[in-house]
Amino acid sequence: RRCGCLVFASRTSSAGRHERQSMSPFLDQFAELVSRDQFDLARASLLLAQDAYPDVDIAACVARLD
């Protein structure tokens, strides 16, 4: 079981290129979100939490914070 940390593995393809392998779809969403110049810190934090706790309802949690 993963600890929920943001970890990306790298592997070399048959063509000799490095390819990123993501650990989970939640972390893919997190990586996409935080790659922007500005992003919602609450949503980013909840995406990390969702990796460890898949039942986290991000929309409901953000609504409670707002």
Side-chain angles (χ1 to χ4, degrees), residues 3-62:
C3 68
C5 299
L6 178 62
V7 177
F8 293 103
S10 177
R11 70 178 173 94
T12 304
S13 70
S14 59
R17 293 184 304 254
H18 285 283
E19 297 175 348
R20 181 179 66 89
Q21 297 174 338
S22 82
M23 298 290 112
S24 79
F26 306 121
L27 294 180
D28 280 342
Q29 292 175 37
F30 172 82
E32 190 279 323
L33 181 65
V34 299
S35 69
R36 301 174 188 168
D37 288 336
Q38 294 185 359
F39 60 90
D40 183 337
L41 183 57
R43 181 168 173 71
S45 300
L46 289 163
L47 282 168
L48 283 177
Q50 196 173 37
D51 185 54
Y53 304 98
D55 294 335
V56 169
D57 184 342
I58 291 178
C61 291
V62 169

